[in-house]
């Protein structure tokens, strides 16, 4: 399902793009929702997806022998 153009416009990353470009990106984007504590991808996994955080937060962490090391926390508006 395409993402509405106005959703992409909320991200500063897209503010300078032309309306035609935003419309093209919105048509090729997909909105995904994850439950709390979901693992979106794992360390070492390769991919070709660009993620935007629409709401909530996402922890970027690396598992280690002494426990998980939080590398960053992404919030609404981050990519």
């Amino acid at each position: 399902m395409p993402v509405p153009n106005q959703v992409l416009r909320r991200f500063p990353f897209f503010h300078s793009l032309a309306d035609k470009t935003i419309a093209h990106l919105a048509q090729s984007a997909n909105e995904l929702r994850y439950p709390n504590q979901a693992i979106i991808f794992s360390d070492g996994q390769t991919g070709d997806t660009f993620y935007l955080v629409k709401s909530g937060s996402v922890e970027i962490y690396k598992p280690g022998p002494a426990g998980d090391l939080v590398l960053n926390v992404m919030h609404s508006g981050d990519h």
Side-chain angles (χ1 to χ4, degrees), residues 42-65:
S42 299
D43 187 30
Q45 188 177 4
T46 59
D48 60 357
T49 304
F50 182 76
Y51 291 94
L52 300 166
V53 181
K54 182 179 171 187
S55 64
S57 61
V58 178
E59 282 188 350
I60 311 298
Y61 70 92
K62 184 166 184 72

